[in-house]
Amino acid sequence: MANRQQRKAQSSYEQEQYEAAQQQAMMQQAAQDAVAQQQAAAPPPPAAAPAAAAPGIDLIAELQKLASLKDAGVLTDAEFTAAKSKLLG
């Protein structure tokens, strides 16, 4: 009897992990889509200007979004660092 309960609990745990991973993937994709959409809406910066000076992008807001996603566990430290580097040019 205890073995059946243990298998049921394990199955439930695995289902929760799967659902959490799916939700994390959806949130990460939504964050990437939002950044891409915002970057596509902004005019390209002049060739001599750094990417951080691009008009139409609120860098502080974008960095705060990235930090929130990292704090929520949606982004890993490496993903956060890569996205931050991309924003800062």
Side-chain angles (χ1 to χ4, degrees):
M1 188 66 134
N3 198 15
R4 190 176 113 208
Q5 288 176 336
Q6 198 173 26
R7 283 194 311 263
K8 187 176 179 180
Q10 180 66 27
S11 177
S12 177
Y13 172 78
E14 289 171 358
Q15 180 65 29
E16 289 173 8
Q17 291 299 309
Y18 173 78
E19 290 172 4
Q22 292 295 326
Q23 184 178 12
Q24 182 176 356
M26 287 174 38
M27 290 174 66
Q28 189 171 7
Q29 185 61 48
Q32 290 172 349
D33 291 346
V35 170
Q37 185 178 25
Q38 209 170 33
Q39 288 176 344
I57 296 177
D58 184 353
L59 287 177
I60 294 173
E62 288 303 312
L63 290 170
Q64 287 174 337
K65 286 180 194 176
L66 288 173
S68 295
L69 290 170
K70 181 180 170 264
D71 292 343
V74 176
L75 296 177
T76 64
D77 288 343
E79 291 169 328
F80 171 78
T81 302
K84 183 175 78 172
S85 295
K86 186 176 179 181
L87 279 175
L88 297 176

